[in-house]
Amino acid sequence: MRRILPPIVLAALIAANWLVFLDATPRSLQAGRVLEARESILSFLNGGTFPDALAVRDYLQARHLSQGAEAHQTLRCGHRPADQMLACRSIQAMISSYDKVAPPEQRGDGVLPMLRGSSGHVAVQVRSLAAEAPMIIDTGSMATILPALLHDAVVRPLRTTRVSNLGRPMTLELVRAHPLQLGDTLLPNWIAARSAAGFQREGVLGLDVIYALGGVEFRPRKEEVAFLGGECASGSAKPFAFVNGAVIADVLIDGQTHRALLDTGSVRTFVFDERAGQGQVRVGSDFGDASIAGRIVSGQVEVGGLSHRLQVVRISSRAAFVEGTTALVGADMLLSGKVFGLCFEPGRYWIE
C-alpha cells in the first residue's frame, strides 16, 4: 500500500536533503570535480532562493574553468520576482558568453620548450594572429591574462572583475580573444583577461587553460612543459583542495603545517610569521613590484614528500595570503625537483 507522508515530515525530509545538497556542492568544486560542480550548483541556483552570492561566484568560476566544454541548461529567470530579474539576466548573459567558446584543438604530444621569464618564471611562447609573447604558466591564477604584446587578440571586452595580488585589490577586464596558439595546440576563441597594470612583456596562462588542456607537468631538468590531455599521474598523485579559485594543499615549513597556495606564478615561497617584523621586502609581481613588511630567512619546506631548504619570505600580515591560508609555495620549491604536475577531475598534484 502506498503511504502518504504527513506534510510536516515531508518538509523535514526536503530540508534535510537541501542541507546535504548545499554541503555537497562546494565539496565537489573543492575536490576539483569542475563539471560535477557546474551542474550541481546550477541546479541549486535554479531551485533555490536567488541570488546566492557565494553560489553564483562558485558557478561562474566553474564555468570559466570549463569553458569550451559542452553547453548545458542555463539559469532560469522567468519565474523570478521583479527585484531579482536584472541580476538574473546579467548572470544569464555571462553564462551565455561561456557557451560560445569552442573547445581547444590539441594536436601532437602537448610538449613545449620551457622558457624563463624576465623574473625567472617558467613560460611558454604563445602566438596570436599578428604577434607572439611569452606567457607564464601560473597555477596561482584562475584566469589567462594577455600581455600588452597580445592585445591585438582582443575581439571585444565583456566585463570587469576584481582580484587580489599580495593583498592588493586589482581590476581585470574579461575579454573575448581571437585564436591563441601554444605550439601545436589552438584555443580557437577564449575568454581571457587583460590588465591596465603590469603584463607589459609577459602574460599568464592560468588554470582555465591548464584545465582545458587536461593538466600540466613541468619538467625542469628536461627544460620542457607538457600539457597532458587528461593523462594525469595516478600512483604518486596527491589531492589538492580547489578553494575560491585557488589550488590549496598542506605543506610543512620548518616542521609546522600550513595551508598553502601552490603557485608557479611566484618565483618565491612566502609564509605568515607574526614575528617577521616591519622591515620592508621588495617582491616582484605580475601587476608590478610591491614592498611588504617582513624579512627573508632560510627555512625547510616540504611539499608532497619533497623537501628542500630555501630562502623563505616571512610576512607579518595575513592579508597578503589567500583567505584560509598562511603560506604560498612558489616555483623555487615546486620546480626544484624532476617534475611538478597538476590536473583536475578530481584535483591532483604530484612532485618529485
Side-chain angles (χ1 to χ4, degrees), residues 177-195:
H178 282 298
L180 299 172
Q181 188 90 28
L182 295 75
D184 292 331
T185 297
L186 180 72
L187 299 177
N189 57 355
W190 206 249
I191 297 177
R194 63 182 174 184
S195 171

Side-chain angles (χ1 to χ4, degrees), residues 321-342:
F321 298 96
V322 172
E323 184 179 356
T325 71
T326 51
L328 179 157
V329 177
D332 54 349
M333 179 65 202
L334 297 175
L335 305 186
S336 63
K338 292 187 296 183
V339 299
F340 169 66
L342 185 76

Side-chain angles (χ1 to χ4, degrees), residues 24 31 39 57 68 109 239 249 280 300 304 324 346 352:
E39 303 301 325
R57 181 206 62 193
D109 58 7
Q280 294 297 299
Q300 193 72 26
E352 58 183 61

Side-chain angles (χ1 to χ4, degrees), residues 239-241 248-252 257-260 262 302-305 329 349:
F240 66 75
I248 307 296
D250 287 337
V251 306
L252 289 175
T257 300
H258 291 268
R259 294 284 280 171
L262 303 185
E302 182 177 329
V303 181
V329 177
Y349 79 94

Side-chain angles (χ1 to χ4, degrees), residues 36-191:
E36 179 182 302
R38 187 185 72 172
E39 303 301 325
S40 60
I41 299 171
L42 180 65
S43 296
F44 167 65
L45 290 173
N46 275 330
T49 302
F50 181 86
D52 183 310
L54 293 180
V56 168
R57 181 206 62 193
D58 287 346
Y59 180 70
L60 291 177
Q61 285 182 348
R63 289 301 287 136
H64 186 82
L65 280 176
S66 64
Q67 59 180 298
E70 71 284 355
H72 67 302
Q73 179 190 9
T74 191
L75 185 66
R76 296 195 300 269
C77 294
H79 66 291
R80 308 283 179 186
D83 62 346
Q84 297 178 6
M85 194 60 67
L86 181 61
C88 191
R89 295 294 188 196
S90 175
I91 296 166
Q92 268 188 335
M94 294 185 216
I95 295 168
S96 175
S97 65
Y98 286 114
D99 287 336
K100 296 173 184 174
V101 175
E105 298 173 12
Q106 192 168 359
R107 312 179 189 96
D109 58 7
V111 177
L112 297 176
M114 178 184 288
L115 308 176
R116 290 289 177 174
S118 59
S119 299
H121 300 91
V122 167
V124 292
Q125 199 74 3
V126 175
R127 296 193 301 276
S128 66
L129 294 174
E132 64 179 3
M135 293 184 69
I136 297 161
I137 304 178
D138 188 352
T139 61
S141 174
M142 198 176 73
T144 288
I145 307 174
L146 300 173
L149 291 171
L150 297 186
H151 279 189
D152 71 293
V154 174
V155 178
R156 62 185 177 90
L158 297 173
R159 66 197 63 90
T160 58
T161 186
R162 300 280 281 175
V163 297
S164 178
N165 176 262
L166 295 173
R168 301 174 296 171
M170 299 289 179
T171 298
L172 288 177
E173 182 181 40
L174 294 179
V175 299
R176 183 172 295 283
H178 282 298
L180 299 172
Q181 188 90 28
L182 295 75
D184 292 331
T185 297
L186 180 72
L187 299 177
N189 57 355
W190 206 249
I191 297 177

